[in-house]
Amino acid sequence: MAARKVWAVLQQRGGELNRQSRETVAAAQELASQVDAAVDVVVLGAGGRPLADRLAGEMAVERVLCGDHPALETYTPGAYVAALAPAIRQQAPSYVLFPHTYQSMEYFPRLAQQVDGAIVPAVAGFRLAEGTVLWTRPVLGGKLQADVRVKSASGSPVLASIQPGAIAADRLRAGSGAVEALPLDGLAGFVPDREILGIESAAKDEVDLSKAEIIVAAGRGVGGADKMGVIEELARALGAEIGASRPVIDNGWLARDRQIGSSGQTVAPKLYIAAGISGAIQHLVGMKGAACIVAINKDPNAPIFAVARYGIVGDLHEVLPALTAAVKEAKGS
Amino acid sequence: MRIAVCIKQVPDTEARLRVRPDGSWIVEEDLPFVINESDEYALEEGIALAEKAGGEVVVFTIGPARAAEALRKALALGAARAVHLSHAAFQGGDPISNGRALAAAVAREQCDLVFTGSQSDDLGYGATGSVLAAALGWPHAWLVMGFALEEGGRSCRVVREMESGKNELLRLQLPAVIEVQAGINHPRYASLKGIMAAKKKPLSEASPEDLGLDPRAVGKEGAAVELVAVRSPQSGAGAQILPGDAATAAKALVEKLRNEVRIL
Ligand SMILES: Cc1cc2nc3c(=O)[nH]c(=O)nc-3n(C[C@H](O)[C@H](O)[C@H](O)COP(=O)(O)OP(=O)(O)OC[C@H]3O[C@@H](n4cnc5c(N)ncnc54)[C@H](O)[C@@H]3O)c2cc1C
Ligand SMILES: Nc1ncnc2c1ncn2[C@@H]1O[C@H](COP(=O)(O)O)[C@@H](O)[C@H]1O
């Protein structure tokens, strides 16, 4: 048995694993093979034993640690931190991996502070270099990638969240492990840190962009509510729906229900024209399933060009009217 | 009520970035710097609350001398005072060391509520506010898209953004740390009067000793992680760039869409 441990703390709701959780286990297995460690999977919930049993029959891990407690019925950062902090202190995993979701991101930095750990969010990849793990993560809106490492002197645990797609879920090695109860000493006398009042839709109206064949998407580069005409005209000529990146919505140039990305809609049209959008990861997760992506951007190094099939480098206020004219001409109208 | 707002000065997202020859970070000389986007929303939330519920906003930043400009802007927008953690020992930190330093600064000013942004546009950890909350032992919420005081200021109602267009409604007891997401409100612009008034508002600097902190526990030395190198991302296959002026490129694109993508 390897002395070092890599933990993968999974995300579940109602006994169903979040999509990214399998990728996180795959990442933990990959990391464990690089640093010669054993993998434990951790699931938190109330009545989570059936899920833990199922996972233990599916994955090549040493243990499935099942944290089963009424206070863990629905996620709250307070309960999750109270459950995990003592367990991490006692069992001293060297690495604790989380799926990079809004839920993990809300509580794992707090957990890291409690266990004197290091925080490495949004990991796109990792590799061993000169005996230490180098973690690759996006910085500056995805325009650059950084390698970070935990300072050598610290023996503290590394808490890292794994970006969707960083490692494919099908890399997960099948096998089995043993189910064990996670000691939950920390939840004795636990006082909730929040009251959950409900869930609502973020947008007032609901435009469903998921069925659109063509989407013309506006980014901050459009420059203002009064400058959206070039987007509307191209959309009209193409018979397309209009979508947008977050700042366009935040600035009030379009309604919230047109937002595409991790907080908005996920779309997969035949054609996606991104105008004045830089290509931050939170936007890309919402549209990279498009069959053909066209990027129009004045910055030749914008990350959007990496996922696009065709690109035009230039001012969208010149390119879009020219494109509208060319489309109209091609359609013979 | 004394409201703390933590703001970070970051490179303008519009700026052309150049990696330093040694790959350690970007060239910062001549870069335009601005207040981090979600922090502008955090600042608006704090100032609007102070106006409505009574009280004052104290802004905090960790950063080099240039970051004083961000604080002055916050004062022009309506903050009452600013605290600049400008000492060399504070610089180059990560969420662990910055959260620790900000917590000590907020505690010294005896604030009742903290607003931060959700994520910095440069390092993008999305973690500093949560660490600050943990260090103070206060509850926190991340990606806040709605905020209102309740029960005469003993608690607050919070709207937390979830994935895929859903929001969760929460109640938190005060004091708390509210990590604001971009889009929560409509940040105001500074007025000429505000800019003039800001010149006379107090802006103080603090050293680790002032905050009762070991200089080795903050900044680069106190950080748990260190940046090794930055580089341009490896860009998959990459786009086929259509050359020429706008009209030429547009025509070429329509040809491609018609003949290769078969969509027109
Ligand atoms: C938790 C979280 C959730 C998020 N959720 C989402 C989400 O659901 N959807 C989303 O989109 N974002 C989301 N974001 C924000 C995301 O990180 C980026 O900030 C955002 O996608 C950037 O939008 P943008 O590309 O329009 O703006 P910018 O990054 O500012 O890019 C503008 C681009 O326009 C170009 N440009 C400027 N002028 C012109 C011109 N005249 N002609 C051509 N090009 C021009 C520039 O070169 C630049 O590349 C989220 C962030 C967080 C932290
Ligand atoms: N150097 C800093 N000075 C003041 N506040 C900061 C600093 N760094 C981060 N913050 C705050 O913490 C939030 C999250 O930052 P980060 O963890 O870097 O993504 C930011 O939006 C700021 O409100």
Side-chain angles (χ1 to χ4, degrees):
Chain A
M1 184 175 108
R4 303 223 284 171
K5 294 190 184 79
V6 179
W7 279 13
V9 181
L10 308 189
Q11 184 170 329
Q12 63 94 20
R13 208 186 180 108
E16 285 303 312
L17 273 196
N18 155 287
R19 222 162 19 97
Q20 284 165 243
S21 286
R22 285 176 188 282
E23 298 180 357
T24 306
V25 180
Q29 289 175 332
E30 173 62 33
L31 178 63
S33 74
Q34 288 186 23
V35 302
D36 186 26
V39 176
D40 290 335
V41 157
V42 181
V43 277
L44 300 181
R49 185 69 195 224
L51 175 64
D53 286 337
R54 204 173 80 222
L55 298 180
E58 282 175 10
M59 317 176 149
V61 298
E62 187 153 293
R63 299 180 300 173
V64 175
L65 299 170
C66 178
D68 190 349
H69 194 281
L72 300 172
E73 163 113 53
T74 38
Y75 154 79
T76 60
Y80 272 46
V81 171
L84 288 169
I88 290 174
R89 277 192 224 105
Q90 274 160 25
Q91 310 213 8
S94 306
Y95 303 92
V96 185
L97 307 188
F98 303 80
H100 185 65
T101 60
Y102 293 6
Q103 176 173 311
S104 305
M105 278 307 296
E106 188 180 49
Y107 79 86
F108 103 74
R110 187 176 191 115
L111 176 61
Q113 195 276 348
Q114 296 282 292
V115 299
D116 274 324
I119 299 170
V120 189
V123 169
F126 50 80
R127 63 184 194 280
L128 208 58
E130 292 159 22
T132 53
V133 178
L134 284 187
W135 307 87
T136 302
R137 55 185 308 274
V139 291
L140 295 152
K143 286 187 206 152
L144 296 176
Q145 262 182 355
D147 283 336
V148 302
R149 73 172 165 231
V150 173
K151 290 203 213 144
S152 52
S154 75
S156 57
V158 182
L159 284 72
S161 63
I162 308 296
Q163 245 183 52
I167 188 159
D170 60 20
R171 298 260 303 275
L172 190 147
R173 271 182 292 112
S176 63
V179 178
E180 265 181 39
L182 185 75
L184 294 173
D185 318 339
L187 284 174
F190 167 71
V191 182
D193 61 326
R194 61 170 59 165
E195 192 183 330
I196 299 171
L197 306 172
I199 288 179
E200 63 174 25
S201 179
K204 286 199 186 66
D205 308 304
E206 304 254 358
V207 174
D208 183 4
L209 298 176
S210 68
K211 308 225 161 49
E213 296 234 316
I214 306 179
I215 295 176
V216 178
R220 198 200 316 256
V222 169
D226 54 333
K227 295 182 179 156
M228 290 288 287
V230 288
I231 298 284
E232 287 155 16
E233 276 152 35
L234 177 60
R236 204 172 306 130
L238 284 167
E241 284 283 0
I242 295 176
S245 69
R246 176 166 203 129
V248 170
I249 315 283
D250 289 347
N251 284 310
W253 307 345
L254 270 181
R256 182 69 62 193
D257 59 347
R258 301 265 167 193
Q259 181 173 319
I260 292 168
S262 58
S263 298
Q265 300 200 42
T266 302
V267 299
K270 288 187 178 146
L271 175 62
Y272 189 92
I273 300 181
I277 295 178
S278 63
I281 179 78
Q282 294 91 352
H283 187 75
L284 298 184
V285 295
M287 46 64 83
K288 65 181 182 208
C292 176
I293 297 169
V294 172
I296 298 161
N297 198 301
K298 67 176 187 192
D299 174 6
N301 298 318
I304 188 77
F305 286 120
V307 298
R309 181 140 145 212
Y310 306 111
I312 298 178
V313 178
D315 183 345
L316 67 89
H317 289 289
E318 290 171 19
V319 174
L320 291 182
L323 191 52
T324 304
V327 168
K328 282 185 179 163
E329 194 184 304
K331 285 191 162 179
S333 57
Chain B
M1 170 169 248
R2 188 171 291 156
I3 302 158
V5 182
C6 299
I7 62 172
K8 184 179 189 188
Q9 198 192 36
V10 297
D12 191 336
T13 51
E14 279 280 293
R16 245 338 206 299
L17 304 174
R18 282 182 300 136
V19 175
R20 281 188 202 153
D22 66 358
S24 61
W25 184 232
I26 53 171
V27 181
E28 289 198 349
E29 289 73 38
D30 301 327
L31 257 192
F33 280 85
V34 296
I35 297 177
N36 184 54
E37 187 175 19
S38 57
D39 302 359
E40 291 199 37
Y41 289 90
L43 194 53
E44 174 62 36
E45 203 61 26
I47 294 169
L49 179 65
E51 286 170 351
K52 205 166 117 207
E56 60 165 16
V57 168
V58 186
V59 278
F60 297 84
T61 199
I62 303 172
R66 61 165 160 73
E69 193 192 326
L71 293 176
R72 281 285 169 217
K73 182 168 179 212
L75 295 172
L77 288 168
R81 290 187 291 122
V83 178
H84 190 176
L85 308 190
S86 55
H87 191 279
F90 285 121
Q91 314 308 318
D94 76 345
I96 290 288
S97 60
N98 287 345
R100 180 181 292 138
L102 290 168
V106 165
R108 191 180 66 154
E109 299 295 329
Q110 301 186 312
C111 299
D112 308 297
L113 174 64
V114 181
F115 289 106
T116 71
S118 282
Q119 192 156 324
S120 59
D121 293 330
D122 53 357
L123 294 175
Y125 285 111
T128 304
S130 308
V131 171
L132 155 69
L136 292 170
W138 295 1
H140 79 281
W142 192 62
L143 299 184
V144 171
M145 281 296 270
F147 175 88
L149 281 187
E150 281 189 336
E151 303 178 275
R154 272 185 293 131
S155 66
C156 59
R157 242 178 111 91
V158 162
V159 180
R160 178 177 80 97
E161 185 168 282
M162 300 172 83
E163 278 108 345
S164 308
K166 295 268 183 271
N167 286 331
E168 191 178 42
L169 308 180
L170 309 168
R171 180 174 295 125
L172 267 64
Q173 299 299 312
L174 262 44
V177 175
I178 304 299
E179 298 167 84
V180 168
Q181 168 69 315
I184 186 179
N185 52 36
H186 297 287
R188 68 193 67 191
Y189 295 97
S191 64
L192 194 59
K193 201 170 134 233
I195 294 167
M196 297 312 291
K199 294 190 174 139
K200 296 193 208 81
K201 289 181 178 173
L203 192 164
S204 62
E205 302 197 3
S207 69
E209 290 79 6
D210 295 334
L211 303 181
L213 290 170
D214 181 344
R216 287 164 306 181
V218 297
K220 196 175 161 74
E221 268 211 76
V225 299
E226 59 190 356
L227 204 67
V228 178
V230 294
R231 65 189 120 77
S232 286
Q234 298 147 337
S235 43
Q240 179 183 346
I241 301 294
L242 305 171
D245 63 11
T248 312
K251 280 215 176 68
L253 177 59
V254 167
E255 282 302 302
K256 301 271 184 203
L257 294 181
R258 172 171 261 179
N259 301 326
E260 292 176 21
V261 189
R262 297 180 192 284
I263 196 153
L264 285 180

